[in-house]
C-alpha cells in the first residue's frame, strides 16, 4: 500500500472546528496516543480542535462512572454523562465530530452529533472482534464479538466517512456496513519529530519494546530472542495483563529489563537510548511506536501482522518478518550488517516518516472538508433502524 504524494490543498480548512469524542484516555493506548498527536498535528491548520474523553489524573480515571475492562484491568470502561456531552457540543459548536472508539463515549458522541446535525467521521483503528479470542473464553468472546459488531455497524451507519489504517480494514469496514471508506495514515508527536536525532543505528547492541503487555503483542517471542541473543540487552516498557507472566519468565535473564508503565514523554529518551525497536505482534492495527522509532533513525523489526508493514513507503525502512518466531534470527542478521548499511537504512526511514505524516495531515483535512460540505442528514432513527435490520 503506497500513499500518493501530498499536494497543496485547493481549499482552506481554517473554518473547521473538529471535536474528537473517544473512550481512550490520552496516551493510555495506541488510539489515545493517535488522537493526542493528531490534535497537535492539525493545530493551526483548522480553527479549533479539541477532545472529549476520559482522563487519568494521577492513577485515577476521570470522566464518568468507570469499571475495569474485562480481560485487562489496566484499562477502564467509562460511562459518559450524556447531558454533559450534549452541552459540550453546543458550546464548542463543532463542524465535524470524530469518533475513534466503539465504546459508550463513541456511541453516545455519534448519536448526539447526529441529533444536532453535525457530520461524523469514524476512525476504525482496531478490529476488536479479532482480539476477543485472545482475552476471553468462548462465551465471553462470543458476547464480545456480538457487541462490537453491532456497535461498529451502528457507528458506520451514523458516519459520513469511515477512515481505516490498512487495506484489510477497508474490507472489514465495508462488510460491517460502512458506505464511504478511506485510508488514514498516522501522526506522531511534533516534539519527537523536532527534537534533534541522537545519531542513528550503526551497531546493534540494545533492543527495545514499548507497548501494552498483552497477548496480541507476542511477548514470548521477545523472551525467546533474549535467550537466543545473550550478547544483546532487551528493555520492555509498558503494562498490561501479561505483566506477571513476563516478570516470571525474565526473572533469570540478566540481559532483560522490565520497566513497567512509562509516561509518553519518556518514550523518545528510551528510543534514543537503544539501537533497535521490535514489535513481534500477532495482531497490530498499525504500530505507531515503530514509526516513532523510524523517525528517531533506529532499526525497527516488525511482523507482517503489523499494519505498518502494509504501507510500502514505510516498509522500505523496516525489517519485516513473517512471525515472531523469526525475531531472534532477524536480530542476529541485523547484528552482522555493516555500520554503513544500518545507518543508511535509518536515514531513509526518517525520510519516509516525514512524507507519511504530511500525507496523513492532508488526508484528514480533505475528509474534514468533504464532511463539512456534505448536506447534513438528520434522520438519525432511519439510520439506526437500517442498522438494526441489517443486524437481524
Amino acid at each position: 500500500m503506497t500513499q500518493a504524494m501530498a499536494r497543496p490543498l485547493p481549499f482552506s480548512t481554517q473554518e473547521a472546528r473538529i471535536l474528537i469524542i473517544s473512550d481512550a484516555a490520552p496516551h493510555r493506548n495506541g488510539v489515545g496516543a493517535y488522537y493526542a498527536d493528531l490534535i497537535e498535528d492539525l493545530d493551526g491548520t483548522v480553527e479549533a480542535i479539541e477532545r472529549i474523553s476520559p482522563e487519568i489524573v494521577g492513577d485515577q480515571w476521570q470522566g464518568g462512572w468507570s469499571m475495569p475492562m474485562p480481560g485487562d484491568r489496566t484499562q477502564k470502561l467509562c460511562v459518559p454523562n450524556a447531558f454533559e456531552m450534549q452541552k459540550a457540543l453546543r458550546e464548542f459548536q463543532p463542524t465535524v465530530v470524530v469518533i475513534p472508539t466503539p465504546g459508550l463515549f463513541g456511541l453516545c458522541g455519534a448519536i448526539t452529533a447526529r441529533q444536532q446535525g453535525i457530520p461524523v467521521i469514524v476512525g476504525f483503528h482496531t478490529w476488536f472482534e479479532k482480539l476477543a479470542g485472545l482475552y476471553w473464553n468462548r462465551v465471553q468472546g462470543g458476547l464480545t464479538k456480538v457487541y462490537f459488531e453491532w456497535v461498529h455497524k451502528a457507528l458506520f451507519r451514523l458516519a459520513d466517512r469511515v477512515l481505516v489504517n490498512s487495506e484489510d480494514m477497508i474490507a472489514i469496514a465495508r462488510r460491517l456496513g460502512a458506505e464511504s471508506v478511506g485510508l488514514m495514515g498516522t501522526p506522531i508527536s511534533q516534539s519527537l519529530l523536532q527534537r534533534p536525532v541522537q545519531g542513528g543505528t550503526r551497531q546493534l547492541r540494545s533492543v527495545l519494546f514499548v507497548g501494552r503487555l498483552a497477548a496480541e503483542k507476542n511477548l514470548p517471542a521477545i523472551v525467546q530472542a533474549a535467550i537466543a541473543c545473550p550478547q544483546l540487552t532487551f528493555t520492555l516498557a509498558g503494562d498490561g495483563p501479561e505483566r506477571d507472566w513476563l516478570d516470571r519468565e525474565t526473572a533469570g535473564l540478566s540481559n532483560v529489563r522490565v520497566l513497567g508503565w512509562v509516561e509518553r514523554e519518556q518514550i523518545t529518551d528510551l528510543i534514543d537510548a537503544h539501537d533497535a525497536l521490535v514489535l513481534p505482534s500477532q495482531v497490530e492495527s498499525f504500530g505507531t511506536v515503530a514509526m516513532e522509532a523510524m523517525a528517531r533513525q533506529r532499526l525497527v523489526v516488525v511482523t507482517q501482522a503489523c499494519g505498518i508493514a502494509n504501507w510500502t513507503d514505510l516498509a522500505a525502512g523496516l525489517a519485516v518478518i513473517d512471525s515472531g518466531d523469526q525475531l531472534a534470527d532477524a536480530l542476529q542478521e541485523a547484528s552482522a550488517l555493516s555500520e554503513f548499511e544500518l545507518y543508511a537504512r535509518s536515514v531513509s526511514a526518517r525520510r519516509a516518516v516525514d512524507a507519511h505524516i504530511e500525507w496523513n495531515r492532508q488526508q484528514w483535512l480533505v475528509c474534514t472538508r468533504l464532511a463539512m460540505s456534505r448536506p447534513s442528514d438528520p434522520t438519525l432513527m432511519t439510520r439506526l433502524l437500517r442498522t438494526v435490520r441489517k443486524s437481524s
Side-chain angles (χ1 to χ4, degrees), residues 272-348:
D272 286 353
H274 293 78
D275 303 310
L277 180 131
V278 297
L279 204 57
S281 304
Q282 300 177 71
V283 180
E284 190 77 52
S285 296
F286 186 79
T288 302
V289 72
M291 198 167 87
E292 291 175 337
M294 290 172 66
R296 303 306 297 171
Q297 296 184 195
R298 263 48 189 179
L299 174 70
V300 180
V301 183
V302 301
T303 58
Q304 194 66 55
C306 296
I308 190 173
N310 296 322
W311 290 83
T312 306
D313 296 348
L314 292 173
L318 299 166
V320 182
I321 55 179
D322 290 334
S323 69
D325 295 340
Q326 300 172 347
L327 179 59
D329 290 339
L331 292 174
Q332 297 281 25
E333 290 175 11
S335 297
L337 293 176
S338 70
E339 178 180 326
F340 173 79
E341 288 174 303
L342 285 169
Y343 186 69
R345 177 181 291 182
S346 70
V347 171
S348 65

Side-chain angles (χ1 to χ4, degrees), residues 10 12 26 31 33 77 88 129 148 215 218 232 264 301 313 327 389:
S12 170
V31 173
L77 177 65
E129 292 90 323
F148 280 120
N218 196 9
L232 302 177
R264 185 76 189 282
V301 183
D313 296 348
L327 179 59
R389 285 198 297 268

Side-chain angles (χ1 to χ4, degrees), residues 79-258:
V79 179
N81 184 317
F83 297 106
E84 288 295 325
M85 187 172 291
Q86 290 175 344
K87 179 183 176 183
L89 264 71
R90 285 194 299 269
E91 290 178 351
F92 184 71
Q93 296 185 337
T95 57
V96 173
V97 165
V98 176
I99 307 294
T101 52
L104 298 178
F105 266 79
L107 188 58
C108 181
I111 292 173
T112 303
R114 274 292 162 203
Q115 287 174 331
Q116 297 186 17
I118 304 166
V120 173
I121 297 174
V122 169
F124 185 33
H125 293 264
T126 306
W127 188 24
F128 289 96
E129 292 90 323
K130 192 172 183 179
L131 295 176
L134 296 174
Y135 286 99
W136 301 285
N137 60 35
R138 173 181 278 181
V139 174
Q140 291 173 318
L143 293 173
T144 301
K145 287 181 180 180
V146 170
Y147 166 79
F148 280 120
E149 186 164 318
W150 186 88
V151 173
H152 277 132
K153 286 181 177 179
L155 288 176
F156 294 166
R157 295 306 304 169
L158 292 168
D160 292 275
R161 181 77 164 167
V162 176
L163 294 179
V164 302
N165 50 19
S166 73
E167 295 284 357
D168 292 341
M169 295 286 276
I170 287 179
I172 294 167
R174 285 177 174 158
R175 180 175 64 78
L176 293 174
E179 296 177 357
S180 178
V181 188
L183 282 171
M184 60 180 163
T186 296
I188 56 179
S189 168
Q190 290 298 306
S191 61
L192 183 147
L193 289 170
Q194 294 168 5
R195 180 171 163 178
V197 174
Q198 301 298 313
T201 300
R202 297 174 184 269
Q203 183 181 359
L204 184 57
R205 295 160 299 184
S206 56
V207 178
L208 174 67
F209 166 85
V210 178
R212 292 182 62 245
L213 304 183
E216 72 272 14
K217 301 296 185 178
N218 196 9
L219 301 175
I222 302 176
V223 175
Q224 291 303 314
I227 294 171
C229 305
Q231 77 280 12
L232 302 177
T233 60
F234 290 75
T235 302
L236 294 93
D239 199 4
E242 298 297 307
R243 174 64 189 272
D244 291 342
W245 175 90
L246 183 64
D247 286 339
R248 289 194 303 271
E249 292 297 310
T250 60
L253 299 177
S254 60
N255 63 331
V256 177
R257 180 174 55 145
V258 180

